Amino acid sequence: MGIFIKNDEQIAIMRQAGRICRDVHELLATYIKPGITTGELNKIAVEYIASQGATPSFLGYRGFPAAICTSVNEHVIHGVPGLRKLKNGDIISIDIGVCLKRFHGDAARSHPVGTVSEKHKRLLEVTKQSFFEAMKHARAGCHLHEMGAAIEEYVTRNGFFVVKDWCGHGIGRIVHEEPSIPHTAQKTRGPRLTPGMTLAIEPMINVGTQELNVHQDTWTVVTKDGKFSAHYEDTVLITTGEPDILTL
């Protein structure tokens, strides 16, 4: 299908969807504390998204049973909300997609629950900053794979490991569209970035091994060694100048 370049009207809608996505994250952050369940966080997100005249991108997507993904500790991505109560020392990664007028915004954030270890605090910091290292190359004229190389170099230098088996993606009329965006260095430069591209860049960073398993719920991706993982994502518009982050 190729890479879908958005016009000004489509970008304006995606900006609105991105704002709602950002606002849901900010709302949920106020509820993240020991004792709350992941299912309760999902319910809060559903109600807020509906109040804004939008719908959750993930609910029913390829059969996914919830509005948000809640991945705790060794869960990397696609955690299914439910009865699990958060505990002091956990970290939780929340991935949210919002659909408005048939266009999508997508963002993920990782949060400490109560007081976390220094290593896991550092994991959260490095994961977030790795996204912004990629942003140094999210400019027209650069190439797609420069972003992944920047992520991997920064993360490796800081003693953590980038998940290779899952990647970012284009976003627009569907929540996952072309191109796929690896978060590690590649043998090719990839497509040239041009204004109007909208990309969901989402490094997933592990404390330990890059090897993963899929949980028995068939959705949740977990680290094989049981060590913690974190996730950060924003929806990014390529412009003629600085990248425009639609979910900030």
Side-chain angles (χ1 to χ4, degrees), residues 20 47-55 98-101:
I20 297 168
E47 291 172 352
Y48 183 82
I49 293 169
S51 77
Q52 301 300 301
T55 56
V98 169
C99 182
L100 183 71
K101 300 175 184 176

Side-chain angles (χ1 to χ4, degrees), residues 8-134:
D8 289 347
E9 181 180 0
Q10 293 162 341
I11 290 166
I13 297 170
M14 290 189 67
R15 192 180 304 282
Q16 293 177 52
R19 175 190 59 78
I20 297 168
C21 198
R22 176 205 68 199
D23 290 348
V24 181
H25 273 295
E26 292 182 353
L27 176 63
L28 292 181
T30 67
Y31 286 90
I32 293 172
K33 61 188 69 175
I36 195 166
T37 69
T38 55
E40 287 170 328
L41 294 173
N42 183 73
K43 183 174 184 291
I44 293 164
V46 168
E47 291 172 352
Y48 183 82
I49 293 169
S51 77
Q52 301 300 301
T55 56
S57 301
F58 302 159
L59 182 60
Y61 182 72
R62 297 182 180 176
F64 190 74
I68 66 175
C69 301
T70 53
S71 304
V72 182
N73 298 342
E74 75 280 8
H75 295 180
V76 181
I77 48 172
H78 304 160
V80 180
L83 299 177
R84 180 171 185 165
K85 288 186 177 182
L86 299 183
K87 304 189 306 294
N88 187 63
D90 287 344
I91 65 172
I92 180 171
S93 299
I94 299 178
D95 195 355
I96 300 173
V98 169
C99 182
L100 183 71
K101 300 175 184 176
R102 299 184 180 181
F103 282 84
H104 298 266
D106 189 3
R109 302 285 186 267
S110 293
H111 303 271
V113 182
T115 303
V116 302
S117 71
E118 287 301 316
K119 172 169 275 190
H120 295 147
K121 188 183 299 183
R122 181 68 178 149
L123 171 67
L124 297 175
E125 293 168 352
V126 169
T127 301
K128 181 176 180 179
Q129 184 57 35
S130 73
F131 169 87
F132 290 98
E133 293 298 313

Side-chain angles (χ1 to χ4, degrees), residues 76 161-166 183-184 204-206 210 212 229:
V76 181
F161 301 89
V162 183
V163 169
K164 294 184 177 182
D165 293 348
W166 296 87
H183 301 122
T184 55
M204 296 147 252
I205 310 302
N206 293 350
Q210 294 166 311
L212 309 174
S229 183

Side-chain angles (χ1 to χ4, degrees), residues 5 15 17 41-42 46 110 112 127 139 143 168-170 177 185 196 209 211 217 230:
I5 302 298
R15 192 180 304 282
L41 294 173
N42 183 73
V46 168
S110 293
T127 301
R139 291 166 171 77
H143 288 79
H169 51 91
E177 59 183 36
T209 179
E211 294 184 56
D217 66 11

